[in-house]
Amino acid sequence: MSPPDEHADSVDTLDTSLWELLCDAHCHPHDEKDKLDMILKLKTGRLNTMGVRQDDWDVVASLASRSEKCQPCFGIHPWFTHSDLETMLPQLKPPTPFETWYNDLRKRLETHPTALVGEVGLDRAARLLPGGQIEWHGVKPTTVQCRVEHQLAVFEAQLALARELNRAVSIHCVQGQGHLLQLLQKKPDAPGVIRICLHSFGGSPATIPQFINLKYYKVYVSFSTAINARLGEKLKKLIASIPEDRLLLETDFNTPIGLDEAMLDIARLAADARDWSLEHTIKQTHTNYQNFISGRAEE
């Protein structure tokens, strides 16, 4: 990817009307609690602010009450589904009963009628942090993992709630694409189609049709430079393989610092991969974002 100063459009020169249409489909800028005010001053028009555990949800709700820019998202991330790991229990907080976190999640979603379910999903590579820590930056993880069966149970319960309340879902999946596809192919207990986004997708372009053609889900796919840039030329092929009405952009940033720049970078990269203008890329992904957030999927 070319450095930003080689482009005619920069953070300072991009038209304000286009900034307002830029939508970050997946981010965590509220992780930096001392920079919450900075989030509200970002140029990027909409931010899907991902809550990943119960003690993360209050700040997400607070940001949503302060600005429509911040789209609230509530979920239990697979990194925080470890309540059944006996080897870590002495160092962890007491396990949270299913009824407690599930009822709290339901209440949050009902209080915020446009909120997403997210970030949720599967992660077969993740290791728990020592001492029950929740901040992973600069911390060496243990060798302890959460069983995929437990992750699937927590994930499936959240998918069912999303279906009941007709909410979009932001999905994290690392080394679990087969498990994810198998779960999404199952006939759900309730009818209908819900919208899901595979965030920072890094699989093969050949697998895209398997997800796009799912019967019970309308699938969107988002990409970030933070996670996907390591794919090199494969990233452009992936972006080009997504139907134009299912493509989303994201940063996956856990800070507001540099978020605008990262949004512009992934928009440029997507434009290059699709042979679109930057303006068309921003407008198309804005339409896609709106449909993902609030559009009722086809029955």
Side-chain angles (χ1 to χ4, degrees):
M1 181 175 61
S2 302
D5 59 8
E6 291 186 12
H7 294 268
D9 296 294
S10 70
V11 170
D12 295 325
T13 62
L14 188 68
D15 190 88
T16 301
S17 64
L18 291 178
W19 273 116
E20 292 174 351
L21 297 179
L22 262 176
C23 301
D24 189 340
H26 190 107
C27 59
H28 312 259
H30 60 288
D31 280 1
E32 291 214 57
K33 300 297 188 294
D34 61 338
K35 295 181 175 63
L36 298 183
D37 288 342
M38 188 182 294
I39 297 172
L40 307 183
K41 297 175 183 178
L42 289 168
K43 294 176 181 289
T44 300
R46 293 293 295 273
L47 308 164
N48 281 359
T49 314
M50 295 290 152
V52 296
R53 55 185 185 274
Q54 280 186 281
D55 61 0
D56 195 35
W57 295 347
D58 280 342
V59 67
V60 168
S62 175
L63 282 169
S65 70
R66 295 176 65 187
S67 173
E68 292 184 356
K69 177 189 293 288
C70 299
Q71 172 69 42
C73 310
F74 305 106
I76 301 292
H77 190 287
W79 291 357
F80 304 105
T81 57
H82 49 250
S83 60
D84 64 337
L85 294 171
E86 295 181 3
T87 57
M88 290 291 290
L89 285 180
Q91 301 179 56
L92 297 173
K93 295 178 181 179
T96 302
F98 172 86
E99 291 78 9
T100 300
W101 69 258
Y102 184 84
N103 290 336
D104 188 6
L105 178 58
R106 174 184 286 277
K107 183 178 179 180
R108 301 274 181 170
L109 293 171
E110 291 175 342
T111 301
H112 299 269
T114 64
L116 277 67
V117 174
E119 175 181 4
V120 301
L122 303 171
D123 194 321
R124 299 185 67 199
R127 308 291 193 274
L128 296 192
L129 301 180
Q133 295 185 63
I134 58 176
E135 296 299 334
W136 58 91
H137 302 288
V139 178
K140 183 178 180 180
T142 69
T143 59
V144 181
Q145 292 181 283
C146 181
R147 292 183 298 112
V148 69
E149 293 82 5
H150 184 67
Q151 293 187 38
L152 281 165
V154 174
F155 181 27
E156 193 163 11
Q158 294 178 95
L159 280 178
L161 183 58
R163 185 176 299 278
E164 177 188 341
L165 300 178
N166 187 33
R167 301 302 175 85
V169 184
S170 189
I171 295 178
H172 168 109
C173 184
V174 174
Q175 295 184 16
Q177 197 172 115
H179 289 282
L180 175 62
L181 192 59
Q182 188 174 36
L183 174 60
L184 299 180
Q185 288 171 336
K186 287 174 54 178
K187 183 177 181 180
D189 293 333
V193 175
I194 60 170
R195 306 170 305 282
I196 64 174
C197 174
L198 307 179
H199 109 84
S200 286
F201 183 79
S204 165
T207 65
I208 293 297
Q210 293 179 293
F211 287 102
I212 294 297
N213 295 326
L214 284 167
K215 183 176 180 180
Y216 307 111
Y217 300 88
K218 185 175 183 179
V219 179
Y220 294 78
V221 187
S222 65
F223 299 96
S224 68
T225 55
I227 303 299
N228 298 125
R230 59 183 171 78
L231 299 174
E233 287 301 309
K234 176 186 173 184
L235 176 54
K236 290 185 178 181
K237 293 179 181 178
L238 269 172
I239 292 174
S241 73
I242 308 300
E244 68 174 31
D245 63 341
R246 306 295 182 90
L247 176 65
L248 297 174
L249 308 177
E250 61 163 289
T251 65
D252 201 22
F253 266 32
N254 71 322
T255 174
I257 298 173
L259 188 147
D260 283 335
E261 290 84 350
M263 276 304 299
L264 194 51
D265 283 347
I266 189 61
R268 289 173 179 148
L269 195 151
D272 185 33
R274 304 289 306 213
D275 197 23
W276 290 345
S277 68
L278 181 60
E279 180 177 355
H280 177 79
T281 301
I282 292 173
K283 289 182 176 180
Q284 179 66 57
T285 54
H286 175 264
T287 297
N288 298 349
Y289 175 89
Q290 294 288 80
N291 290 337
F292 169 61
I293 294 296
S294 59
R296 182 173 292 275
E298 296 86 2
E299 296 293 329

PDB file of all heavy atoms in Angstrom, residues 105-118:
ATOM      1  N   LEU A 105     -27.219  -9.026  28.646  1.00  0.00           N
ATOM      2  CA  LEU A 105     -27.089  -8.764  27.212  1.00  0.00           C
ATOM      3  C   LEU A 105     -28.445  -8.437  26.595  1.00  0.00           C
ATOM      4  O   LEU A 105     -28.577  -7.478  25.828  1.00  0.00           O
ATOM      5  CB  LEU A 105     -26.466  -9.976  26.522  1.00  0.00           C
ATOM      6  CG  LEU A 105     -26.304  -9.898  25.002  1.00  0.00           C
ATOM      7  CD1 LEU A 105     -25.460  -8.703  24.600  1.00  0.00           C
ATOM      8  CD2 LEU A 105     -25.694 -11.194  24.463  1.00  0.00           C
ATOM      9  N   ARG A 106     -29.459  -9.221  26.931  1.00  0.00           N
ATOM     10  CA  ARG A 106     -30.799  -8.965  26.410  1.00  0.00           C
ATOM     11  C   ARG A 106     -31.279  -7.566  26.809  1.00  0.00           C
ATOM     12  O   ARG A 106     -31.811  -6.812  25.976  1.00  0.00           O
ATOM     13  CB  ARG A 106     -31.778 -10.021  26.932  1.00  0.00           C
ATOM     14  CG  ARG A 106     -33.238  -9.734  26.554  1.00  0.00           C
ATOM     15  CD  ARG A 106     -34.181 -10.747  27.170  1.00  0.00           C
ATOM     16  NE  ARG A 106     -34.075 -12.016  26.471  1.00  0.00           N
ATOM     17  CZ  ARG A 106     -34.712 -12.306  25.338  1.00  0.00           C
ATOM     18  NH1 ARG A 106     -35.483 -11.385  24.752  1.00  0.00           N
ATOM     19  NH2 ARG A 106     -34.588 -13.478  24.786  1.00  0.00           N
ATOM     20  N   LYS A 107     -31.061  -7.207  28.059  1.00  0.00           N
ATOM     21  CA  LYS A 107     -31.504  -5.892  28.538  1.00  0.00           C
ATOM     22  C   LYS A 107     -30.799  -4.777  27.798  1.00  0.00           C
ATOM     23  O   LYS A 107     -31.421  -3.772  27.419  1.00  0.00           O
ATOM     24  CB  LYS A 107     -31.247  -5.781  30.046  1.00  0.00           C
ATOM     25  CG  LYS A 107     -31.735  -4.482  30.653  1.00  0.00           C
ATOM     26  CD  LYS A 107     -31.501  -4.451  32.154  1.00  0.00           C
ATOM     27  CE  LYS A 107     -31.971  -3.125  32.759  1.00  0.00           C
ATOM     28  NZ  LYS A 107     -31.733  -3.092  34.234  1.00  0.00           N
ATOM     29  N   ARG A 108     -29.494  -4.941  27.565  1.00  0.00           N
ATOM     30  CA  ARG A 108     -28.736  -3.919  26.830  1.00  0.00           C
ATOM     31  C   ARG A 108     -29.282  -3.753  25.418  1.00  0.00           C
ATOM     32  O   ARG A 108     -29.441  -2.630  24.925  1.00  0.00           O
ATOM     33  CB  ARG A 108     -27.264  -4.317  26.750  1.00  0.00           C
ATOM     34  CG  ARG A 108     -26.584  -4.508  28.091  1.00  0.00           C
ATOM     35  CD  ARG A 108     -26.046  -3.237  28.646  1.00  0.00           C
ATOM     36  NE  ARG A 108     -25.390  -3.467  29.922  1.00  0.00           N
ATOM     37  CZ  ARG A 108     -24.657  -2.570  30.556  1.00  0.00           C
ATOM     38  NH1 ARG A 108     -24.480  -1.370  30.026  1.00  0.00           N
ATOM     39  NH2 ARG A 108     -24.104  -2.846  31.710  1.00  0.00           N
ATOM     40  N   LEU A 109     -29.550  -4.849  24.756  1.00  0.00           N
ATOM     41  CA  LEU A 109     -30.044  -4.796  23.384  1.00  0.00           C
ATOM     42  C   LEU A 109     -31.438  -4.190  23.316  1.00  0.00           C
ATOM     43  O   LEU A 109     -31.752  -3.430  22.389  1.00  0.00           O
ATOM     44  CB  LEU A 109     -30.048  -6.199  22.776  1.00  0.00           C
ATOM     45  CG  LEU A 109     -28.668  -6.830  22.558  1.00  0.00           C
ATOM     46  CD1 LEU A 109     -28.810  -8.298  22.171  1.00  0.00           C
ATOM     47  CD2 LEU A 109     -27.885  -6.068  21.492  1.00  0.00           C
ATOM     48  N   GLU A 110     -32.263  -4.498  24.305  1.00  0.00           N
ATOM     49  CA  GLU A 110     -33.610  -3.937  24.312  1.00  0.00           C
ATOM     50  C   GLU A 110     -33.589  -2.449  24.644  1.00  0.00           C
ATOM     51  O   GLU A 110     -34.405  -1.671  24.134  1.00  0.00           O
ATOM     52  CB  GLU A 110     -34.472  -4.701  25.307  1.00  0.00           C
ATOM     53  CG  GLU A 110     -34.775  -6.130  24.855  1.00  0.00           C
ATOM     54  CD  GLU A 110     -35.525  -6.943  25.883  1.00  0.00           C
ATOM     55  OE1 GLU A 110     -35.536  -6.547  27.077  1.00  0.00           O
ATOM     56  OE2 GLU A 110     -36.113  -7.985  25.508  1.00  0.00           O
ATOM     57  N   THR A 111     -32.617  -2.024  25.464  1.00  0.00           N
ATOM     58  CA  THR A 111     -32.478  -0.611  25.804  1.00  0.00           C
ATOM     59  C   THR A 111     -31.971   0.199  24.619  1.00  0.00           C
ATOM     60  O   THR A 111     -32.317   1.375  24.461  1.00  0.00           O
ATOM     61  CB  THR A 111     -31.518  -0.442  27.000  1.00  0.00           C
ATOM     62  OG1 THR A 111     -32.023  -1.169  28.123  1.00  0.00           O
ATOM     63  CG2 THR A 111     -31.360   1.026  27.383  1.00  0.00           C
ATOM     64  N   HIS A 112     -31.158  -0.457  23.776  1.00  0.00           N
ATOM     65  CA  HIS A 112     -30.597   0.192  22.591  1.00  0.00           C
ATOM     66  C   HIS A 112     -31.142  -0.526  21.355  1.00  0.00           C
ATOM     67  O   HIS A 112     -30.548  -1.495  20.875  1.00  0.00           O
ATOM     68  CB  HIS A 112     -29.075   0.122  22.631  1.00  0.00           C
ATOM     69  CG  HIS A 112     -28.462   0.814  23.808  1.00  0.00           C
ATOM     70  ND1 HIS A 112     -28.072   2.134  23.776  1.00  0.00           N
ATOM     71  CD2 HIS A 112     -28.197   0.366  25.060  1.00  0.00           C
ATOM     72  CE1 HIS A 112     -27.580   2.474  24.956  1.00  0.00           C
ATOM     73  NE2 HIS A 112     -27.638   1.426  25.749  1.00  0.00           N
ATOM     74  N   PRO A 113     -32.275  -0.071  20.821  1.00  0.00           N
ATOM     75  CA  PRO A 113     -32.976  -0.796  19.747  1.00  0.00           C
ATOM     76  C   PRO A 113     -32.186  -0.982  18.457  1.00  0.00           C
ATOM     77  O   PRO A 113     -32.532  -1.837  17.654  1.00  0.00           O
ATOM     78  CB  PRO A 113     -34.218   0.065  19.500  1.00  0.00           C
ATOM     79  CG  PRO A 113     -34.406   0.853  20.747  1.00  0.00           C
ATOM     80  CD  PRO A 113     -33.032   1.115  21.259  1.00  0.00           C
ATOM     81  N   THR A 114     -31.148  -0.175  18.232  1.00  0.00           N
ATOM     82  CA  THR A 114     -30.358  -0.336  17.015  1.00  0.00           C
ATOM     83  C   THR A 114     -29.021  -1.032  17.273  1.00  0.00           C
ATOM     84  O   THR A 114     -28.210  -1.184  16.355  1.00  0.00           O
ATOM     85  CB  THR A 114     -30.068   1.033  16.367  1.00  0.00           C
ATOM     86  OG1 THR A 114     -29.252   1.815  17.250  1.00  0.00           O
ATOM     87  CG2 THR A 114     -31.358   1.771  16.074  1.00  0.00           C
ATOM     88  N   ALA A 115     -28.777  -1.449  18.509  1.00  0.00           N
ATOM     89  CA  ALA A 115     -27.477  -2.030  18.861  1.00  0.00           C
ATOM     90  C   ALA A 115     -27.238  -3.360  18.152  1.00  0.00           C
ATOM     91  O   ALA A 115     -28.160  -4.129  17.893  1.00  0.00           O
ATOM     92  CB  ALA A 115     -27.371  -2.239  20.365  1.00  0.00           C
ATOM     93  N   LEU A 116     -25.963  -3.611  17.856  1.00  0.00           N
ATOM     94  CA  LEU A 116     -25.553  -4.894  17.286  1.00  0.00           C
ATOM     95  C   LEU A 116     -25.226  -5.880  18.400  1.00  0.00           C
ATOM     96  O   LEU A 116     -24.999  -5.497  19.551  1.00  0.00           O
ATOM     97  CB  LEU A 116     -24.292  -4.723  16.430  1.00  0.00           C
ATOM     98  CG  LEU A 116     -24.452  -4.237  14.985  1.00  0.00           C
ATOM     99  CD1 LEU A 116     -24.943  -2.816  14.946  1.00  0.00           C
ATOM    100  CD2 LEU A 116     -23.114  -4.371  14.258  1.00  0.00           C
ATOM    101  N   VAL A 117     -25.164  -7.149  18.017  1.00  0.00           N
ATOM    102  CA  VAL A 117     -24.575  -8.176  18.876  1.00  0.00           C
ATOM    103  C   VAL A 117     -23.134  -8.331  18.415  1.00  0.00           C
ATOM    104  O   VAL A 117     -22.874  -8.669  17.255  1.00  0.00           O
ATOM    105  CB  VAL A 117     -25.333  -9.505  18.768  1.00  0.00           C
ATOM    106  CG1 VAL A 117     -24.606 -10.603  19.548  1.00  0.00           C
ATOM    107  CG2 VAL A 117     -26.766  -9.346  19.273  1.00  0.00           C
ATOM    108  N   GLY A 118     -22.193  -8.062  19.276  1.00  0.00           N
ATOM    109  CA  GLY A 118     -20.799  -8.166  18.873  1.00  0.00           C
ATOM    110  C   GLY A 118     -19.868  -7.530  19.885  1.00  0.00           C
ATOM    111  O   GLY A 118     -20.288  -6.672  20.662  1.00  0.00           O
TER     112      GLY A 118
END
